[in-house]
C-alpha cells in the first residue's frame, strides 16, 4: 500500500522538480545526433514562416539547414536569436523576398546557401552583418542584376556562386566583387552574359576560378589583363564565341581552359594566344578526323616537348590511325578519348609511339570486343597503370587482351555487356590492384580467370549472372581485401570456392539466391573478415537450435542480413550470432522473424548499432533480457515492429544507448522508468505511436516536455490517439495530480469499516436487508404503491405458503375445505397462480401483497426451505411494518422450541399470536377436531386485517377444540386472542 501511494505521489514531486528545466524538443527541427545542440535540420515542414520554424532553436546552433519548406519570405531579424550560426542553408524553398535585415547579428556566419529559390532581387543591405562569410551560393534563382554595394561588407568572401540566374551585366558584377581580396572562385555559368566588358575595372587578383559556362558570349570585349590571374577558366557552351574573341587576352596563368562547344578553332587559337598549350582542354572542339587531330598534334609538338594530359572527349572521333597521335608531343599523363564514337581500339596500336602514358580512358564509346594482344609485335605500354573501358558495348574479352600492359594497376570494364571473359583474359596482369567487372552478363568464373592477379586488392563482380562459385576460383587472390559478388544469382559456393582469400576484409554477397550459410566457406579469411553483406538472399531457418555459421569470424564488425527474399528468416536461432564478439553493426530489417530468443544477442558485447526495423511478424513481444549484454549499443532502430510494451526488463541494460527509434509501433504507453534506465539517451523518435492522452501517460508527457537531455523528435506535432485534435505534449493532466493519498486513505478506511461491520450486519439483519431490498425494488417498479392502495380489493383471500413435500395435504385437505364444501375463498398457490417466466422473488412479493392473509403450513421440511423462510419473513415484516394481521400459522406436526430457535420471528409470533395445530392421530375424535380446525381457519381468514385491541375475546369453541384434541400446547396466549399488544 505504501508503495502504491508513493507512485501516485511521484508525479507531483517530479512536476515540482522540473518546473525550472527547459525542454529538449523542437517544433519543426531535429538536432543532429551527437552534435550537442549545434547542428539542426528543418526539412519538409508545412509552416510557411521561417521565424516559426526556427524560433525555438537554442543559441548554441552552429549549423542550420531549413530546406524544402513553403517559405516565401524571410523577415527582418529572423535569426537574431542564433548569434553563433556559422552554416546556414535555405535552399529549395519558395523564397521570393528577403528583408534587408534578415541576417542581422549573424557575425560568425561563414556559409550561406540561398540556391533553388525564386529570388529576383536582393537588398544592398542584405549581407551587411556577415563579416565572416566565406561562401555564398545563389544558384538557380531568377536574379537579373545585383546591387552595386551588396558585397561591400563581406570582405572575407572566398566562393561566390551565381550559377543559373538571368544576369546580363558583367561589368556590374565585376564592380561589385572587385574589392573582395579573398575571392578565389566565381561561378557565373548558365546566365545571359553576352560579353565581358569590364569598364576598366579589374577582377580581384585572388580570383583563381572563373566559370562562364553556357552563357551567350559572342565576344569577350574586356581589358586584356582582366583574366591575367585566373587559373581555371571555363568558357564552354558559348556557341557563338569565336577564336578572335580570345586574341590578345592574357591567359598566361591559366592552368586549365575549357572551350567545349564554342566556335574556337584549336590550332588557330594556339597561334594567337599566350596560354600554355598543355593547359587547354581540347574536349568538344570538333577534332573529329585524323587531319584535324594531326594538325593539333603538330602544333602541340611545335610548342611543347612533352605534355602531361590530353583531353579529347566529345569530338566525335570514329577511328584513329597509327600516325595521328604519334605526331603529338610525348604524353606522360592521361589520354582521354571518352564520349566519342570509337568502335575498336586495336590493342592501342594508334598509340604506337605514346608508350609513356599512365592512364587511358575510352569510356562512353561503341566498343564491342577486346581482342587478344598476344602478338609479339604489339607495343608494350609499360607505364600504363589505369585503363577504363566503362559504358561501352563490349560483349567479349579475348585471352591475353591486356598482356601488353604488364604494369596495369586499375582496370575498369564495368557497365558493359560482357558475357564472355576468356579464362586467360587477365593473363600476366600481376600488378593489378583494382578490377571492375560489375554490371555485365558474366555467368561463369574459372580457376584460371584470376590466376595471375595475385596482387589484386579490390574485385567487383556485382550485378552479373553468376550462379556457382567453383572450387579454386579465387585461389591465387591472397592479397584481395574486397570482394563484391552482390546482385548475382549465386545458389551454390563449392567447398573450396573461397579458398585462397587469406586477406579478405569486405565480402558482399547481397542480392543472390543463397539458401544457407556454411561456416566452412569462411575458413580462409575467418581471421581477417570485417564486413559481410548477406542481404536479400533466400536464407531461412525453421529450427531454433541451428548452429551459428559465424562462430569463427572473430574480427567481423559489420553484418547485414536485411530483407531475406520471399518469407524472411522466419526463425532466428538462439545461438545464431555466437562468437561475434567484435561485431559493431547488425542489420536485420525487413525479415519476417516470428520470435526473437532472449539469448539471440548474448555474444554481441561490442555491438554499437542494431536495426530491427520492420523485422518481425505482426505484433512483437520482446522477451525480457533480449538486449541484456548490449551494454555498448549506442543506436537502436526498432521501427514498425509492432511492439506493444516498452519495459525496463527489455531495454533497461542499454546503458550506453544514445539514439532510440521507436516510431511506428503500437504501444499506447511508455514506461518512464524504462526511459530513465537509459542514462546516455539523447535522441528518441516516437512518431506515429498511438500514445493515449490519459493519466497512464502523464509521467511520459512530463518526461518528454521537460527532460533537458533527451530530444523527442517533433514532439509538438504528436497527436492524441483518441482525439486527433488534442496534442500529446499539452493534454490536461491536472486530474492526475490531485491529492490521491488523502482520498485513498479515506476510501481504504471505509472499505475496512465495511469489511468489519458486514459480517455483523449479515448475521443480525440479513432478512431485513433482503426484505428491504425486495420492497424497494417493488416500489421502484410501481408495485409497492399499487399493492398498498388495494387492500380491500385484494386478488386473493389467502396466499398458502408450504413446502413441496406437504403438497399432498394442501391439495387433499386444505384446498377442498377452503375453496370447496360451501366455502368461497380464493387461494393463491405457487404451482397454480405464479406468473410463468417471472422472477420467483417478484412472484412471492406479489403473492404476499395481493392476498389479505398469508397462511404458512409449517412442518420440519418447511423450516428447511429457503423460499418458505423468505415467504414467512415477508409476511411477518408486513405485519409489523403495516400493523396488519396478515400472518396465520398452521402446524402440521409438533415442532420443538429448539428446532424453532433459529426462527426467532416465528417464535415471537407464536408467543403473541394464535396459531393452529393440525389434529394428530392420537386425538379422541379426529373427525370432530378437524371440523373445528377448519371452522377456526375460515374464521381467521374472514377476520379483518386491521389490528384492534380487545380485552375479552376468548372463544369457547376454540377452547373446546383444544380440549378435545388433547393438545397441551397453548393455543391462545394468556393475554391475546388474535391480538397484538
Amino acid at each position: 500500500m505504501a508503495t502504491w501511494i508513493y507512485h501516485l505521489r511521484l508525479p507531483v514531486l517530479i512536476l515540482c522538480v522540473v518546473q525550472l528545466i527547459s525542454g529538449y524538443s523542437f517544433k519543426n527541427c531535429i538536432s543532429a545526433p551527437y552534435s550537442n545542440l549545434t547542428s539542426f535540420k528543418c526539412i519538409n515542414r508545412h509552416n510557411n514562416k521561417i521565424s516559426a520554424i526556427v524560433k525555438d532553436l537554442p543559441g548554441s546552433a552552429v549549423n542550420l539547414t531549413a530546406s524544402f519548406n513553403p517559405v516565401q519570405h524571410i523577415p527582418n531579424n529572423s535569426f537574431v536569436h542564433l548569434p553563433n550560426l556559422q552554416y546556414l542553408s535555405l535552399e529549395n524553398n519558395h523564397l521570393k523576398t528577403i528583408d534587408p535585415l534578415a541576417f542581422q547579428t549573424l557575425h560568425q556566419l561563414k556559409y550561406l546557401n540561398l540556391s533553388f529559390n525564386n529570388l529576383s532581387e536582393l537588398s544592398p543591405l542584405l549581407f551587411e552583418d556577415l563579416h565572416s562569410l566565406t561562401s555564398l551560393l545563389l544558384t538557380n534563382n531568377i536574379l537579373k542584376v545585383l546591387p552595386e554595394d551588396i558585397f561591400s561588407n563581406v570582405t572575407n568572401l572566398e566562393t561566390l556562386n551565381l550559377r543559373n540566374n538571368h544576369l546580363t551585366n558583367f561589368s556590374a558584377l565585376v564592380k561589385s566583387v572587385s574589392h573582395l581580396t579573398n575571392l578565389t572562385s566565381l561561378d557565373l555559368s548558365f546566365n545571359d552574359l553576352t560579353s565581358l566588358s569590364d569598364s576598366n575595372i579589374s577582377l580581384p587578383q585572388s580570383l583563381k576560378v572563373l566559370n562562364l559556362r553556357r552563357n551567350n558570349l559572342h565576344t569577350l570585349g574586356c581589358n586584356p589583363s582582366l583574366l591575367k590571374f585566373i587559373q581555371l577558366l571555363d568558357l564552354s557552351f558559348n556557341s557563338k564565341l569565336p577564336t578572335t574573341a580570345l586574341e590578345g587576352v592574357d591567359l598566361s596563368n591559366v592552368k586549365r581552359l575549357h572551350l567545349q562547344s564554342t566556335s574556337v578553332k584549336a590550332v588557330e587559337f594556339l597561334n594567337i594566344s599566350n596560354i600554355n598549350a598543355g593547359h587547354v582542354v581540347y574536349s568538344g572542339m570538333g577534332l573529329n578526323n585524323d587531319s584535324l587531330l594531326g594538325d593539333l598534334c603538330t602544333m602541340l609538338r611545335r610548342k611543347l616537348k612533352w605534355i602531361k594530359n590530353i583531353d579529347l572527349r566529345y569530338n566525335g572521333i570514329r577511328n584513329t590511325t597509327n600516325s595521328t597521335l604519334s605526331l603529338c608531343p610525348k604524353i606522360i599523363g592521361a589520354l582521354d578519348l571518352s564520349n566519342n564514337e570509337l568502335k575498336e581500339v586495336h590493342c592501342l596500336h594508334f598509340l604506337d609511339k605514346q608508350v609513356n602514358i599512365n592512364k587511358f580512358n575510352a569510356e562512353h564509346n561503341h566498343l564491342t570486343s577486346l581482342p587478344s594482344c598476344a602478338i609479339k609485335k604489339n607495343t608494350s605500354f609499360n607505364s600504363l597503370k589505369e585503363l577504363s573501358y566503362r559504358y561501352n558495348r563490349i560483349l567479349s574479352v579475348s585471352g591475353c587482351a591486356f598482356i601488353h600492359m604488364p604494369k596495369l594497376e586499375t582496370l575498369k570494364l564495368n557497365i558493359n555487356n560482357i558475357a564472355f571473359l576468356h579464362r586467360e583474359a587477365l593473363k600476366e596482369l600481376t600488378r593489378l590492384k583494382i578490377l571492375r567487372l560489375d554490371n555485365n552478363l558474366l555467368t561463369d568464373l574459372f580457376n584460371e580467370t584470376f590466376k595471375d592477379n595475385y596482387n589484386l586488392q579490390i574485385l567487383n563482380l556485382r550485378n552479373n549472372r553468376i550462379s556457382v562459385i567453383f572450387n579454386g576460383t579465387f585461389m591465387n587472390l591472397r592479397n584481395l581485401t574486397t570482394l563484391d559478388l552482390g546482385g548475382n544469382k549465386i545458389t551454390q559456393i563449392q567447398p573450396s570456392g573461397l579458398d585462397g582469400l587469406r586477406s579478405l576484409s569486405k565480402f558482399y554477397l547481397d542480392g543472390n539466391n543463397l539458401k544457407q550459410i556454411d561456416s566452412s566457406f569462411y575458413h580462409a579469411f575467418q581471421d581477417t573478415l570485417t564486413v559481410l553483406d548477406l542481404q536479400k538472399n533466400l536464407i531461412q531457418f525453421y529450427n531454433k537450435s541451428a548452429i551459428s555459421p559465424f562462430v569463427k569470424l572473430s574480427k567481423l564488425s559489420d553484418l547485414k542480413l536485411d530483407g531475406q527474399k520471399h518469407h524472411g528468416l522466419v526463425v532466428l536461432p538462439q545461438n545464431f550470432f555466437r562468437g561475434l564478439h567484435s561485431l559493431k553493426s547488425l542489420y536485420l530489417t525487413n525479415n519476417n522473424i516470428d520470435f526473437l530468443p532472449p539469448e539471440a544477442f548474448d555474444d554481441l558485447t561490442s555491438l554499437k548499432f542494431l536495426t530491427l526495423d520492420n523485422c518481425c511478424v505482426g505484433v512483437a513481444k520482446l522477451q525480457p533480457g533480449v538486449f541484456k549484454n548490449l551494454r555498448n549499443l549506442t543506436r537502436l532502430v526498432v521501427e514498425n515492429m509492432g511492439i506493444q510494451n516498452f519495459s525496463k526488463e527489455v531495454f533497461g541494460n542499454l546503458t550506453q544507448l544514445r539514439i532510440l527509434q521507436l516510431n511506428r509501433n503500437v504501444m499506447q504507453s511508455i514506461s518512464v522508468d524504462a526511459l530513465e534506465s537509459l542514462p546516455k539517451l539523447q535522441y528518441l523518435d516516437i512518431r506515429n505511436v498511438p500514445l493515449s492522452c490519459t493519466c497512464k501517460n502523464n509521467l511520459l508527457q512530463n518526461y518528454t516536455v521537460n527532460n533537458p537531455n533527451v530530444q523527442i523528435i517533433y514532439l509538438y506535432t504528436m497527436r492524441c490517439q483518441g482525439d486527433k485534435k488534442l496534442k500529446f505534449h499539452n493534454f490536461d493532466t491536472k486530474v492526475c495530480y490531485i491529492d490521491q493519498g488523502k482520498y485513498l486513505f479515506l476510501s481504504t478506511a471505509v472499505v475496512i469499516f465495511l469489511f468489519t461491520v458486514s459480517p455483523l450486519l449479515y448475521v443480525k439483519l440479513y432478512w431485513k436487508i433482503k426484505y428491504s431490498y425486495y420492497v424497494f425494488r417493488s416500489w421502484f417498479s410501481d408495485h409497492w404503491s399499487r399493492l398498498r392502495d388495494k387492500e380491500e380489493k385484494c386478488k386473493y383471500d389467502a396466499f398458502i405458503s408450504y413446502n413441496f413435500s406437504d403438497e399432498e395435504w394442501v391439495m387433499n385437505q386444505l384446498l377442498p375445505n377452503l375453496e370447496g364444501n360451501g366455502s368461497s375463498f380464493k387461494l393463491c398457490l405457487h404451482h397454480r397462480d405464479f406468473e410463468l417466466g417471472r422472477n420467483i422473488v417478484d412472484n412471492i412479493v406479489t403473492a404476499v401483497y395481493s392476498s389479505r392473509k398469508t397462511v404458512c403450513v409449517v412442518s420440519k421440511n418447511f423450516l428447511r426451505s429457503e423460499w418458505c423462510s423468505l415467504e414467512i419473513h415477508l409476511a411477518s415484516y408486513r405485519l409489523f411494518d403495516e400493523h396488519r394481521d396478515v400472518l396465520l400459522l398452521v402446524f402440521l406436526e409438533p415442532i420443538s422450541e429448539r428446532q424453532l430457535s433459529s426462527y426467532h420471528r416465528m417464535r415471537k409470533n407464536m408467543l403473541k399470536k394464535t396459531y393452529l395445530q393440525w389434529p394428530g392421530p392420537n386425538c379422541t375424535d379426529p373427525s370432530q377436531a378437524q371440523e373445528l380446525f377448519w371452522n377456526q381457519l375460515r374464521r381467521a381468514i374472514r377476520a379483518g386485517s386491521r389490528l384492534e385491541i380487545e380485552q375479552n375475546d376468548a372463544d369457547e369453541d376454540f377452547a373446546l377444540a383444544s380440549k378435545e384434541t388433547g393438545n397441551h400446547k397453548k393455543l391462545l396466549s394468556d393475554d391475546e386472542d388474535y391480538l397484538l399488544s
Side-chain angles (χ1 to χ4, degrees):
M1 183 64 70
T3 303
W4 190 11
I5 296 175
Y6 168 78
H7 284 296
L8 290 170
R9 290 178 179 271
L10 189 59
V12 181
L13 296 176
I14 292 177
L15 186 62
C16 296
V17 170
V18 301
Q19 280 180 345
L20 300 178
I21 299 177
S22 58
Y24 180 18
S25 296
F26 308 98
K27 292 184 178 179
N28 293 288
C29 303
I30 298 176
S31 174
Y34 310 111
S35 71
N36 197 24
L37 288 178
T38 60
S39 183
F40 294 88
K41 289 186 178 181
C42 315
I43 298 175
N44 284 318
R45 310 314 296 156
H46 300 296
N47 203 313
N48 59 6
K49 294 183 178 180
I50 191 67
S51 56
I53 292 176
V54 304
K55 69 178 181 180
D56 59 346
L57 298 185
S60 59
V62 174
N63 296 340
L64 172 59
T65 299
S67 302
F68 299 97
N69 300 301
V71 178
Q72 298 186 11
H73 172 66
I74 300 181
N76 290 329
N77 301 312
S78 293
F79 307 98
V80 70
H81 62 297
L82 303 174
N84 295 306
L85 213 56
Q86 296 181 19
Y87 178 103
L88 176 58
S89 178
L90 297 170
E91 61 180 327
N92 285 291
N93 290 294
H94 300 136
L95 291 177
K96 292 183 178 180
T97 58
I98 304 177
D99 287 352
L101 303 179
F103 304 120
Q104 192 173 21
T105 73
L106 297 183
H107 302 298
Q108 298 188 45
L109 193 67
K110 294 180 179 180
Y111 177 94
L112 177 60
N113 190 348
L114 295 169
S115 303
F116 295 93
N117 284 291
N118 298 316
L119 297 172
S120 58
E121 59 180 344
L122 301 174
S123 167
L125 302 176
L126 185 60
F127 308 125
E128 186 177 24
D129 276 7
L130 307 184
H131 306 301
S132 301
L133 194 66
T134 59
S135 297
L136 175 60
L137 283 68
L138 286 161
T139 67
N140 293 82
N141 281 285
I142 51 176
L143 296 169
K144 294 182 178 180
V145 64
L146 294 178
E148 181 177 334
D149 300 325
I150 190 170
F151 303 122
S152 60
N153 284 357
V154 289
T155 54
N156 289 308
L157 195 64
E158 297 175 1
T159 301
L160 176 58
N161 195 333
L162 293 165
R163 182 186 184 96
N164 203 12
N165 280 280
H166 300 305
L167 300 172
T168 58
N169 192 336
F170 182 76
S171 176
L173 288 169
V174 172
K175 189 174 182 179
S176 65
V177 302
S178 60
H179 67 289
L180 301 178
T181 56
N182 292 300
L183 190 66
T184 60
S185 177
L186 176 60
D187 191 342
L188 297 172
S189 58
F190 293 85
N191 276 284
D192 297 325
L193 302 175
T194 57
S195 71
L196 302 184
S197 176
D198 54 17
S199 301
N200 293 321
I201 302 173
S202 299
L203 289 168
Q205 293 185 14
S206 59
L207 189 64
K208 305 302 179 185
V209 178
L210 178 59
N211 191 342
L212 295 166
R213 184 185 184 91
R214 206 176 287 273
N215 276 276
N216 293 319
L217 295 174
H218 51 79
T219 181
L220 296 186
C222 61
N223 188 318
S225 62
L226 178 69
L227 306 176
K228 181 178 180 180
F229 300 102
I230 303 296
Q231 295 182 3
L232 193 156
L233 178 62
D234 193 344
L235 294 171
S236 302
F237 296 97
N238 287 283
S239 58
K240 297 179 181 180
L241 186 67
T243 306
T244 54
L246 298 168
E247 186 174 4
V249 178
D250 188 356
L251 301 175
S252 58
N253 288 312
V254 173
K255 299 294 189 292
R256 191 169 181 83
L257 174 63
H258 295 268
L259 293 169
Q260 181 180 350
S261 298
T262 64
S263 297
V264 176
K265 305 300 180 183
V267 175
E268 184 180 345
F269 167 66
L270 293 177
N271 277 325
I272 64 173
S273 178
N274 66 346
I275 192 172
N276 184 317
H279 296 162
V280 179
V281 178
Y282 298 101
S283 172
M285 295 191 72
L287 305 170
N288 55 7
N289 57 56
D290 282 350
S291 175
L292 293 174
L293 280 175
D295 291 344
L296 174 62
C297 285
T298 302
M299 175 61 70
L300 291 175
R301 193 161 193 163
R302 188 186 308 160
K303 287 180 172 286
L304 304 167
K305 291 185 178 180
W306 57 268
I307 188 170
K308 186 174 183 180
N309 303 314
I310 293 183
D311 188 340
L312 293 172
R313 294 173 299 147
Y314 297 103
N315 276 298
I317 300 172
R318 293 177 179 272
N319 53 64
T320 57
T321 61
N322 294 355
S323 59
T324 303
L325 293 175
S326 64
L327 298 175
C328 288
K330 183 192 298 184
I331 305 172
I332 62 171
L335 173 62
D336 197 340
L337 289 172
S338 299
N339 300 93
N340 282 289
E341 298 178 15
L342 294 173
K343 294 184 179 180
E344 295 179 329
V345 289
H346 301 291
C347 297
L348 303 185
H349 292 162
F350 59 92
L351 296 177
D352 192 20
K353 295 183 179 180
Q354 297 291 352
V355 295
N356 295 302
I357 62 173
N358 61 23
K359 181 178 180 180
F360 178 70
N361 288 340
E363 300 176 1
H364 291 281
N365 279 280
H366 305 319
L367 305 179
T368 57
S369 65
L370 296 177
S372 174
C373 299
I375 303 174
K376 292 184 179 179
K377 67 177 183 178
N378 282 329
T379 303
S380 182
F381 294 90
N382 292 320
S383 297
L384 192 63
K385 294 184 177 180
E386 184 172 342
L387 176 65
S388 179
Y389 289 139
R390 297 190 305 167
Y391 296 99
N392 277 281
R393 305 170 185 175
I394 300 173
L395 294 170
S396 64
V397 181
S398 301
C400 302
F402 310 101
I403 199 169
H404 57 307
M405 309 172 187
K407 295 185 180 179
L408 199 64
E409 295 180 357
T410 301
L411 176 58
K412 298 178 181 179
L413 297 173
N414 50 310
I415 316 177
N416 279 285
N417 297 318
I418 300 174
F420 173 73
L421 181 68
H422 193 277
R423 296 178 185 224
E424 296 186 343
L426 305 174
K427 187 176 181 180
E428 295 190 17
L429 294 182
T430 58
R431 299 193 181 185
L432 194 64
K433 294 180 180 179
I434 300 174
L435 176 59
R436 297 283 304 273
L437 283 166
D438 49 290
N439 294 283
N440 281 290
L441 303 174
L442 294 172
T443 57
D444 297 301
L445 299 174
F446 303 100
N447 296 6
E448 299 88 350
T449 303
F450 307 110
K451 181 180 179 181
D452 292 342
N453 312 133
Y454 45 79
N455 281 310
L456 196 63
Q457 296 177 5
I458 299 175
L459 174 58
N460 193 335
L461 290 162
R462 176 174 290 274
N463 294 333
N464 280 278
R465 298 182 179 180
I466 302 167
S467 58
V468 178
I469 303 298
F470 296 106
N471 288 331
T473 300
F474 307 113
M475 182 63 72
N476 293 325
L477 302 184
R478 56 180 175 270
N479 292 306
L480 194 71
T481 60
T482 302
L483 175 59
D484 192 343
L485 290 170
N488 281 280
K489 300 180 182 297
I490 299 173
T491 57
Q492 181 186 5
I493 300 177
Q494 292 188 350
S496 301
L498 301 175
D499 283 4
L501 300 174
R502 295 181 300 182
S503 302
L504 193 66
S505 176
K506 299 178 180 178
F507 192 16
Y508 301 94
L509 278 168
D510 55 293
N512 282 284
N513 296 321
L514 293 171
K515 294 183 178 180
Q516 61 181 3
I517 309 171
D518 193 334
S519 59
S520 63
F521 296 161
Y522 309 133
H523 67 88
F525 45 84
Q526 63 187 23
D527 295 326
T528 60
L529 193 68
T530 60
V531 175
L532 178 59
D533 191 342
L534 291 167
Q535 298 179 79
K536 299 179 181 177
N537 276 278
L538 296 171
I539 300 169
Q540 293 180 353
F541 295 95
Y542 297 98
N543 186 352
K544 295 181 181 180
S545 59
I547 299 174
S548 171
F550 312 114
V551 68
K552 294 183 179 180
L553 300 180
S554 58
K555 293 187 177 179
L556 192 67
S557 62
D558 191 304
L559 176 60
K560 294 182 174 69
L561 288 163
D562 313 49
Q564 297 304 312
K565 289 180 283 190
H566 300 332
H567 304 294
L569 288 174
V570 182
V571 172
L572 188 66
Q574 59 185 10
N575 297 319
F576 190 57
F577 302 115
R578 178 67 57 84
L580 296 179
H581 300 293
S582 299
L583 196 68
K584 290 181 169 57
S585 299
L586 176 59
Y587 301 79
L588 286 171
T589 62
N590 298 307
N591 281 298
N592 294 323
I593 301 172
D594 63 357
F595 178 71
L596 285 176
E599 308 89 357
F601 308 120
D602 280 4
D603 278 19
L604 308 184
T605 54
S606 299
L607 198 67
K608 292 184 177 296
F609 173 80
L610 173 61
T611 174
L612 297 168
D613 180 14
N614 198 32
C615 79
C616 300
V617 179
V619 176
K621 184 176 181 180
L622 297 178
Q623 299 298 309
V626 68
F627 301 131
K628 59 181 175 294
N629 287 348
L630 305 185
R631 300 184 188 280
N632 290 306
L633 196 70
T634 59
R635 182 175 181 182
L636 176 61
V637 182
V638 286
E639 299 179 6
N640 197 31
M641 282 184 63
I643 298 175
Q644 286 183 313
N645 297 306
F646 182 86
S647 65
K648 188 175 181 180
E649 290 74 18
V650 175
F651 296 90
N653 292 315
L654 303 177
T655 54
Q656 297 297 319
L657 192 67
R658 296 176 183 271
I659 302 173
L660 177 57
Q661 295 172 233
L662 275 170
N663 44 317
R664 294 180 293 138
N665 279 291
V666 296
M667 71 277 284
Q668 293 189 350
S669 64
I670 296 178
S671 168
V672 172
D673 283 345
L675 291 174
E676 289 178 342
S677 67
L678 308 176
K680 297 292 183 68
L681 190 64
Q682 296 178 0
Y683 181 104
L684 177 61
D685 191 348
I686 51 175
R687 289 175 291 172
N688 300 304
V689 173
L691 295 174
S692 61
C693 293
T694 62
C695 289
K696 185 166 55 175
N697 280 320
N698 66 313
L699 283 179
L700 179 64
Q701 185 203 61
N702 182 68
Y703 176 92
T704 57
V705 173
N706 296 302
N707 192 300
N709 301 314
V710 182
Q711 177 186 188
I712 314 298
I713 305 305
Y714 294 143
L715 168 66
Y716 300 104
T717 61
M718 289 169 52
R719 303 282 179 177
C720 294
Q721 174 64 14
D723 187 349
K724 297 299 182 182
K725 294 180 180 179
L726 297 178
K727 293 187 177 181
F728 182 80
H729 75 278
N730 62 1
F731 76 88
D732 189 6
T733 59
K734 293 178 182 177
V735 67
C736 305
Y737 297 110
I738 61 175
D739 190 358
Q740 299 186 42
K742 180 175 71 176
Y743 292 103
L744 183 62
F745 172 76
L746 293 175
S747 59
T748 304
V750 171
V751 170
I752 293 173
F753 175 77
L754 291 177
F755 272 109
T756 304
V757 174
S758 294
L760 298 175
L761 295 175
Y762 180 83
V763 172
K764 298 294 184 181
L765 301 174
Y766 172 75
W767 285 109
K768 189 165 187 177
I769 293 172
K770 198 167 185 177
Y771 168 76
S772 299
Y773 163 70
Y774 292 132
V775 169
F776 172 76
R777 195 169 72 176
S778 296
W779 170 82
F780 189 76
S781 61
D782 203 36
H783 288 302
W784 177 258
S785 58
R786 275 193 295 116
L787 293 173
R788 290 192 60 175
D789 293 340
K790 296 182 178 179
E791 183 219 343
E792 299 302 327
K793 299 179 181 179
C794 286
K795 186 175 181 181
Y796 303 103
D797 291 299
F799 166 53
I800 309 302
S801 174
Y802 64 94
N803 185 266
F804 177 76
S805 59
D806 302 319
E807 186 173 10
E808 182 180 356
W809 183 85
V810 172
M811 299 304 294
N812 296 334
Q813 296 287 343
L814 186 142
L815 196 61
N817 281 285
L818 294 183
E819 284 192 344
N821 295 332
S823 299
S824 59
F825 295 118
K826 186 175 182 181
L827 304 180
C828 178
L829 302 177
H830 59 77
H831 74 280
R832 184 183 70 184
D833 299 306
F834 275 14
E835 183 180 338
L836 292 177
R838 191 177 183 189
N839 187 286
I840 190 168
V841 175
D842 291 340
N843 271 319
I844 292 172
V845 172
T846 301
V848 170
Y849 286 94
S850 297
S851 304
R852 290 190 303 105
K853 302 285 184 178
T854 296
V855 178
C856 294
V857 181
V858 182
S859 66
K860 293 177 181 178
N861 291 323
F862 181 94
L863 297 178
R864 286 192 290 267
S865 171
E866 182 179 352
W867 293 115
C868 294
S869 181
L870 173 61
E871 290 166 356
I872 194 171
H873 276 81
L874 287 173
S876 63
Y877 276 123
R878 183 183 177 194
L879 185 152
F880 291 113
D881 187 48
E882 301 181 14
H883 300 287
R884 297 176 182 271
D885 187 9
V886 295
L887 181 60
L888 299 177
L889 301 179
V890 174
F891 284 80
L892 290 184
E893 56 186 329
I895 297 176
S896 66
E897 289 192 7
R898 182 180 63 80
Q899 289 175 303
L900 291 172
S901 61
S902 59
Y903 297 88
H904 59 281
R905 288 200 174 273
M906 187 180 295
R907 289 185 68 249
K908 185 177 179 181
N909 275 287
M910 290 174 64
L911 292 173
K912 294 186 177 183
K913 296 201 49 66
T914 303
Y915 62 92
L916 296 175
Q917 177 77 49
W918 175 249
N922 55 349
C923 292
T924 56
D925 190 353
S927 199
Q928 184 181 4
Q930 289 180 9
E931 180 66 26
L932 290 173
F933 173 87
W934 293 120
N935 289 335
Q936 291 297 338
L937 183 57
R938 292 188 194 101
R939 178 184 173 191
I941 293 174
R942 289 193 189 99
S945 62
R946 284 294 176 182
L947 299 181
E948 299 174 359
I949 298 176
E950 299 179 1
Q951 297 296 331
N952 300 303
D953 196 25
D955 187 92
E956 294 178 359
D957 293 335
F958 189 78
L960 178 60
S962 179
K963 181 178 179 181
E964 289 296 330
T965 59
N967 184 12
H968 302 290
K969 289 187 178 181
K970 178 179 165 185
L971 297 182
L972 293 173
S973 65
D974 295 333
D975 55 348
E976 294 177 317
D977 178 20
Y978 294 104
L979 300 177
L980 182 63
S981 59

